[in-house]
Amino acid sequence: MSIIENNSSPEGCLAGKQDTSRSWEPVIFELSTPGRKGYSLPPCDVDDAAVEELIPVDYLRRGEPDLPEVSEIDVVRHFVRLSQRNHGVDVGFYPLGSCTMKYNPKVNEYLASLPGFTTLHPYEPADLVQGALRLMYELQQYLCEIGGMDAVTLQPAAGAHGELTGLLMIRAYHEHRGEGGKRIKVIVPDSAHGTNPASAAFCGYQVVEVKSDERGGVDVNELRSVMDDSVAALMLTNPNTLGLFDENIAEIARIVHERGGLLYYDGANMNAIMGITRPGDMGFDVLHFNLHKTFSTPHGGGGPGSGPVGVKKDLIPFLPVPTVEKDSSSGDGDPAYYLDFNRPLSVGRVRSFYGNFSVMVKAYAYIRALGADGLRNASYAAVLNANYLQKKLKDHYHLPYNRYCKHEFVISAKNQMEHGIHASDIAKALLDYGFHAPTIYFPLIVKEAMMIEPTETESMETLDAFCDAMKEIAEKAKNDPGYLRSAPHTTVVGRLDEVTAARRPKLRWKREAGPES
């Protein structure tokens, strides 16, 4: 029997039906053959019953569900082929940042999957989940130490959610002081992550932008001009999205605090400073961590994240409920851990139950495994790798801020634009060399920006290979710009219509004329 006659594999299906070029992979519904299945069930050992006797008629489907009929090997090969089209950190260099793009130890995934963690139920009484509460309490203490804060809530689900939680506490703080109606503005630098002004606006604040100075930090003179008694807070990332540490942070904190405002720290770039300096010591009053970015949780595709928020002592009363507390007064030598809901000034719940627990387990394991020295060394390596790349590339690409960077740096395609080559062309060309592209066109204050974050987990050989690719692309921009404008040449798909994808996305496959369901 031929493959086509047997038709027992996707290749067999495709050979008789569809284009088999490497650029095309059908959806699994298109692999469907009537009668084929990928399961076998044991004989039913209970009496048959009409489904109408078991489920109310109003809840029954009107027809059979439209499901693909495929064998097990159909499913395996289909999804393996799709997986091989992805570029991830397990495949190659991914200089896009530390979120998913640094190596996160797989052992932490294993630890988070242990039955003692995964079979917990959030409604179990505290005396039955003392281990989980202890882990959460100790993680809070570790984050307090790393951030220089006095208390931490683990509830927020991600970084932007942490921003919202922090701003809700800032608003509650000002309202409690009788200044809620007066403090109506939040200052955000022009180099900020886009979530900062979005979170402030979502929380009801007017957003005031302050520009960067020639060194890439906050323009202190402009900050003085916009700072007044109507400002609730300044939101700042330090090091910022240019990868630059703000040298004037002590002066910035003084300016904000003198007028009664608070300083909010966006912890997205914590990977650069762990164990080296602390936001709390810089003068920040509130900060959020990205556990999924800094502390060992892959985060591509939208989840799961975790954005704990730390605060200084004046904001502790406004933490979300419940908080995880420790009682050492039982007298039997073992402390008791409990959830405290009795917090009258709290901003309330910000997340169902207590946050993304599995992410907390991974962060706890990461911090315990590395220890203080390991965390510090991770930051040292991240900063060293970024400066190594910056040094090797700055003769080939425009470097808008020529100073030592932290964990990331920003170059631009300004030089290549003379040959009609843009940052997007360079990003596409990198795919032909087996590298994922860096972040491009961000931060917005650098024209044709390329933000490169190599992370602490890449070898010198990998960094050198990336530099060689970037240098070759810079040479091609001079000598063969047409080649770059049509890149990539070796990937499964070329240049997608990103505008159409953004404005008219097709998120769900539909059969042209399927059965009623």
Side-chain angles (χ1 to χ4, degrees):
M1 182 177 289
S2 71
I3 291 177
I4 296 177
E5 290 170 333
N6 183 26
N7 214 17
S8 61
S9 70
E11 293 84 353
C13 293
L14 302 180
K17 298 177 180 178
Q18 303 283 358
D19 176 13
T20 56
S21 69
R22 61 190 291 271
S23 65
W24 183 79
E25 175 68 26
V27 298
I28 197 163
F29 285 90
E30 293 171 318
L31 296 175
S32 181
T33 296
R36 183 167 299 155
K37 61 183 182 181
Y39 64 90
S40 59
L41 299 177
C44 183
D45 59 358
V46 297
D47 295 335
D48 286 341
V51 67
E52 293 81 2
E53 297 174 5
L54 304 174
I55 301 175
V57 174
D58 290 345
Y59 293 104
L60 293 177
R61 300 180 64 92
R62 288 173 292 171
E64 293 291 326
D66 183 16
L67 299 175
E69 297 179 75
V70 287
S71 69
E72 180 179 344
I73 195 65
D74 291 340
V75 175
V76 170
R77 288 177 178 169
H78 172 68
F79 285 107
V80 167
R81 283 195 297 270
L82 289 179
S83 72
Q84 290 172 338
R85 295 182 172 197
N86 287 333
H87 185 98
V89 71
D90 290 339
V91 176
F93 186 40
Y94 207 131
L96 192 58
S98 52
C99 197
T100 298
M101 301 77 188
K102 73 176 186 180
Y103 173 71
N104 294 301
K106 302 297 184 284
V107 67
N108 294 343
E109 299 290 330
Y110 167 74
L111 295 174
S113 70
L114 292 173
F117 295 130
T118 58
T119 59
L120 290 173
H121 193 284
Y123 280 139
E124 286 186 77
D127 58 342
L128 296 181
V129 292
Q130 283 294 292
L133 291 175
R134 176 183 171 182
L135 184 150
M136 295 169 71
Y137 180 84
E138 291 184 353
L139 178 58
Q140 290 176 170
Q141 304 312 304
Y142 294 145
L143 295 177
C144 280
E145 178 64 24
I146 293 169
M149 291 287 150
D150 295 316
V152 163
T153 173
L154 300 173
Q155 285 188 42
H161 193 202
E163 293 176 20
L164 178 63
T165 303
L167 288 167
L168 288 174
M169 284 191 277
I170 288 173
R171 188 172 69 184
Y173 166 83
H174 288 307
E175 288 176 347
H176 185 66
R177 292 162 55 91
E179 295 186 335
K182 172 177 143 184
R183 303 278 176 180
I184 58 174
K185 299 177 183 174
V186 167
I187 299 175
V188 178
D190 60 2
S191 63
H193 292 103
T195 50
N196 290 178
S199 297
F202 193 79
C203 207
Y205 285 112
Q206 298 176 24
V207 178
V208 178
E209 184 179 275
V210 61
K211 295 193 179 305
S212 301
D213 62 18
E214 68 279 0
R215 297 273 295 166
V218 172
D219 187 320
V220 174
N221 290 328
E222 182 167 324
L223 175 62
R224 286 195 185 95
S225 71
V226 299
M227 188 66 212
D228 58 30
D229 295 345
S230 68
V231 173
L234 165 66
M235 301 182 77
L236 190 62
T237 311
N238 194 26
N240 61 18
T241 58
L242 296 165
L244 302 175
F245 191 86
D246 202 309
E247 304 153 313
N248 299 312
I249 185 58
E251 176 65 6
I252 291 169
R254 188 184 66 77
I255 293 171
V256 174
H257 287 153
E258 279 186 351
R259 300 305 294 265
L262 297 176
L263 208 54
Y264 181 94
Y265 185 88
D266 180 332
N269 292 343
M270 182 69 70
N271 214 42
I273 65 167
M274 292 184 298
I276 301 172
T277 186
R278 308 191 303 175
D281 298 339
M282 300 177 206
F284 287 92
D285 304 287
V286 184
L287 79 86
H288 82 258
F289 299 87
N290 288 1
L291 294 190
H292 51 275
K293 184 175 175 70
T294 312
F295 300 102
S296 178
T297 289
H299 184 54
S306 182
V309 173
V311 295
K312 287 292 194 181
K313 63 180 180 181
D314 288 347
L315 287 107
I316 290 178
F318 311 104
L319 285 167
V321 287
T323 57
V324 183
E325 305 292 347
K326 174 182 175 183
D327 181 3
S328 301
S329 63
S330 62
D332 60 4
D334 293 327
Y337 299 90
Y338 64 100
L339 297 171
D340 183 10
F341 289 86
N342 185 22
R343 305 182 67 82
L345 296 181
S346 167
V347 297
R349 274 188 182 275
V350 297
R351 180 78 167 86
S352 58
F353 301 110
Y354 323 114
N356 287 337
F357 182 68
S358 67
V359 181
M360 299 176 202
V361 175
K362 284 179 269 191
Y364 181 84
Y366 184 79
I367 293 170
R368 291 292 301 261
L370 266 66
D373 290 342
L375 293 176
R376 186 183 306 110
N377 287 336
S379 290
Y380 281 148
V383 173
L384 179 63
N385 283 358
N387 279 281
Y388 180 74
L389 280 186
Q390 178 182 269
K391 171 74 173 175
K392 297 194 74 169
L393 293 177
K394 69 178 185 178
D395 291 336
H396 305 274
Y397 293 88
H398 175 63
L399 180 63
Y401 299 96
N402 189 9
R403 48 180 286 209
Y404 286 118
C405 64
K406 294 305 173 186
H407 64 306
E408 64 189 11
F409 62 100
V410 174
I411 56 177
S412 88
K414 181 179 177 183
N415 299 339
Q416 287 69 38
M417 284 184 64
E418 298 175 3
H419 311 287
I421 296 300
H422 296 266
S424 58
D425 299 316
I426 296 167
K428 296 297 184 186
L430 271 171
L431 304 179
D432 285 335
Y433 290 86
F435 299 114
H436 195 281
T439 299
I440 57 175
Y441 299 116
F442 184 81
L444 302 177
I445 58 175
V446 176
K447 188 175 183 180
E448 296 290 330
M450 293 180 282
M451 184 172 73
I452 299 172
E453 181 179 352
T455 81
E456 71 276 18
T457 51
E458 298 297 339
S459 69
M460 181 178 286
E461 290 79 9
T462 298
L463 301 182
D464 286 341
F466 177 74
C467 282
D468 290 342
M470 289 290 285
K471 291 176 184 176
E472 282 192 33
I473 291 171
E475 286 300 313
K476 276 187 166 57
K478 299 177 190 173
N479 305 320
D480 190 6
Y483 181 86
L484 295 184
R485 281 194 285 270
S486 59
H489 301 277
T490 61
T491 54
V492 174
V493 295
R495 298 205 180 195
L496 303 177
D497 185 343
E498 297 176 358
V499 174
T500 299
R503 294 182 177 177
R504 296 197 298 275
K506 291 184 178 179
L507 304 178
R508 176 171 173 262
W509 180 83
K510 287 185 178 180
R511 195 186 296 281
E512 290 186 359
E516 183 182 11
S517 62

